[in-house]
Amino acid sequence: MTTMLDVSYVIASWAQSVGLQQDPFNVVIVGAGNVNFGSEEGPWNHSYRLEQKLGPRLKVVALIDPIFERSTDVLQKKRASFVESAYRDTAMHKTIQDFASVMTPAQKPKLFLIGCPSAYRGSDEPGRDLELQILKLFPNTALFVEKPIASFEVSKAVIVANAIRQANVTCSVGYMLRYLKAVQMMKRIIRDNHLTVMATIARYACAYQSIVKPFWWDKELSGGPVIEQGTHFCDLSRYFGGDVEISTVQAHSVQWNEAPGKLSKIGIDEGQIPQENRIPRVTSANWKYKNGSTGSLTHLATLQGTAYSCEIEVYCDGYLLKLIDPYNEPILHVRRPGSDKEEIYNFKGDDPFLSEISAITDVIEKGSEAAEILSDFEDACKTYELTWAIRLATERTQQTYNK
């Protein structure tokens, strides 16, 4: 089990707000794992962003996780830090049903932060229908759902999307790269110059050595690296290129049992994973968007150490927009008509995780005019559909290659 990071950060505004009379903002966190509480694998840590945004107003009224040992560990670390007041009265429960059965009016949440494995949500099947259960037990409560939105059939995720829309519930999905200032600058350049995107080219190379969750290495549980991880760049590609003509998706892969797929620094015992469930090491996909432009994605589980290498290029007539290292220190290269030189823009300190949390909390408290949620569940279904189309295409071509 990967333990959460220690609370070694400082939030200056927290101390300034202590003692002020402010309405509490109640949150239920589902999942005591890395995406909600941080790890050495990357910058994700939703609880930290909630603390930044809400300060002492934050009250985590419940932490839902079937493994109490994990919940206990994260709560002990939070309670031993300056954010103690946010977690002082946090109740631990194994299911949302357990919490609903004992919830008091003072504990009524404004937001569910859902960061549990996707195998338990995004469907209408019992045990995989977390969002539908929340809609039933906690009506009118906003949802923040981490990607991917599901692990199974796309049609099941669409059922959930329809239910959320019909319930008129505020919902945001964690495609945080849309909130980057660099990404918004790219969108603005395209819009202001009346450009049409001609092609998107995305590359996502992860540092596999630092990924020590057996779940991630088992595509039966995670969906595979494109569905679980490369989904961010599939979504970003769609954000620029538009809807994908799914029938055009083609893909190839390097599998674990092929000579180029041998990895020397895997941090888990892959022998414990059934051979048919082991993930591909490389996935290379391409497609056409419905407007006629083209898109491509290469996902690689090839790097060691901890740093990822990620970038996306967007091409228009006369323009190249290239975003490098969006997770850490985003750098945007822009080439325009009239010059072969690239303009370079740095966006140090930009935190898209904080921006997406800020957006949904502002909408909850002030209404839809206060902020814009850039990814809802319905739109996220289209990204999910693309990632599944890529996985299925690799499996078809691999069968042909093996003959």
Side-chain angles (χ1 to χ4, degrees), residues 85-103:
S85 65
Y87 302 89
R88 182 182 303 155
D89 300 316
T90 303
M92 295 189 303
H93 294 282
K94 292 187 176 182
T95 68
I96 61 167
Q97 289 82 1
D98 291 344
F99 174 59
S101 68
V102 298
M103 183 185 73

Side-chain angles (χ1 to χ4, degrees), residues 44-280:
W44 36 86
N45 186 337
H46 290 318
S47 62
Y48 167 53
R49 273 66 180 205
L50 282 171
E51 295 155 10
Q52 283 183 291
K53 172 64 177 176
L54 298 169
R57 294 182 59 210
L58 173 63
K59 303 299 176 187
V60 179
V61 294
L63 176 56
I64 313 296
D65 195 292
I67 303 177
F68 276 171
E69 178 187 2
R70 188 160 53 196
S71 297
T72 300
D73 176 62
V74 298
L75 289 178
Q76 283 179 344
K77 290 178 179 178
K78 293 290 190 181
R79 289 167 176 167
S81 74
F82 70 96
V83 297
E84 180 270 341
S85 65
Y87 302 89
R88 182 182 303 155
D89 300 316
T90 303
M92 295 189 303
H93 294 282
K94 292 187 176 182
T95 68
I96 61 167
Q97 289 82 1
D98 291 344
F99 174 59
S101 68
V102 298
M103 183 185 73
T104 67
Q107 292 175 313
K108 187 178 188 307
K110 293 183 178 181
L111 173 66
F112 268 85
L113 182 70
I114 301 173
C116 63
S118 55
Y120 302 105
R121 47 191 174 84
S123 175
D124 64 344
E125 297 179 7
R128 300 173 178 174
D129 59 345
L130 177 63
E131 295 93 346
L132 298 185
Q133 291 299 314
I134 291 173
L135 293 179
K136 181 176 69 174
L137 296 171
F138 305 89
N140 303 316
T141 304
L143 307 174
F144 179 91
V145 183
E146 186 49 53
K147 64 79 213 166
I149 54 172
S151 289
F152 305 97
E153 298 94 332
V154 174
S155 60
K156 298 292 188 180
V158 172
I159 291 173
V160 176
N162 291 336
I164 292 172
R165 185 184 69 254
Q166 291 167 7
N168 196 29
V169 165
T170 298
C171 180
S172 175
V173 175
Y175 285 115
M176 76 287 173
L177 297 181
R178 293 189 178 202
Y179 294 84
L180 282 169
K181 292 177 181 177
V183 167
Q184 290 307 310
M185 182 176 176
M186 295 165 75
K187 294 283 282 187
R188 187 166 59 252
I189 291 172
I190 294 169
R191 181 180 63 249
D192 292 351
N193 293 280
H194 308 288
L195 303 176
T196 298
V197 172
M198 300 175 68
T200 64
I201 302 173
R203 177 179 54 77
Y204 191 119
C206 72
Y208 75 87
Q209 183 182 10
S210 67
I211 302 175
V212 293
K213 298 174 292 186
F215 166 89
W216 189 87
W217 293 87
D218 187 331
K219 67 181 182 181
E220 182 65 20
L221 298 177
S222 67
V226 170
I227 292 174
E228 203 281 335
Q229 188 179 70
T231 183
H232 278 299
F233 271 41
C234 288
D235 186 74
L236 206 53
S237 298
R238 283 190 54 250
Y239 194 47
F240 293 112
D243 290 343
V244 173
E245 187 59 59
I246 294 298
S247 63
T248 67
V249 174
Q250 300 176 332
H252 294 275
S253 62
V254 174
Q255 294 295 323
W256 66 274
N257 57 346
E258 296 180 286
K262 305 301 182 184
L263 298 177
S264 59
K265 296 289 185 179
I266 297 179
I268 62 120
D269 181 4
E270 198 177 26
Q272 297 299 310
I273 298 173
Q275 293 184 359
E276 64 272 17
N277 294 347
R278 296 178 191 176
I279 65 165

Side-chain angles (χ1 to χ4, degrees), residues 209-373:
Q209 183 182 10
S210 67
I211 302 175
V212 293
K213 298 174 292 186
F215 166 89
W216 189 87
W217 293 87
D218 187 331
K219 67 181 182 181
E220 182 65 20
L221 298 177
S222 67
V226 170
I227 292 174
E228 203 281 335
Q229 188 179 70
T231 183
H232 278 299
F233 271 41
C234 288
D235 186 74
L236 206 53
S237 298
R238 283 190 54 250
Y239 194 47
F240 293 112
D243 290 343
V244 173
E245 187 59 59
I246 294 298
S247 63
T248 67
V249 174
Q250 300 176 332
H252 294 275
S253 62
V254 174
Q255 294 295 323
W256 66 274
N257 57 346
E258 296 180 286
K262 305 301 182 184
L263 298 177
S264 59
K265 296 289 185 179
I266 297 179
I268 62 120
D269 181 4
E270 198 177 26
Q272 297 299 310
I273 298 173
Q275 293 184 359
E276 64 272 17
N277 294 347
R278 296 178 191 176
I279 65 165
R281 298 351 188 178
V282 178
T283 301
S284 180
N286 61 78
W287 58 83
K288 281 186 73 69
Y289 294 102
K290 289 188 176 181
N291 71 351
S293 58
T294 66
S296 68
L297 168 77
T298 300
H299 181 280
L300 308 100
T302 56
L303 300 180
Q304 299 177 6
T306 58
Y308 288 27
S309 177
C310 304
E311 62 182 59
I312 183 170
E313 298 175 345
V314 178
Y315 290 88
C316 308
D317 183 16
Y319 287 80
L320 164 61
L321 311 175
K322 180 165 63 176
L323 176 61
I324 301 172
D325 196 18
Y327 285 97
N328 299 296
E329 296 290 345
I331 301 173
L332 176 61
H333 291 240
V334 179
R335 176 172 166 174
R336 304 175 189 263
S339 175
D340 292 343
K341 293 183 178 180
E342 294 183 357
E343 306 162 12
I344 300 176
Y345 301 88
N346 292 279
F347 298 85
K348 291 184 178 180
D350 186 21
D351 185 350
F353 293 96
L354 178 59
S355 298
E356 66 180 354
I357 290 295
S358 293
I360 189 170
T361 53
D362 284 346
V363 169
I364 290 169
E365 295 203 296
K366 303 172 186 176
S368 59
E369 299 300 318
E372 183 180 7
I373 292 173

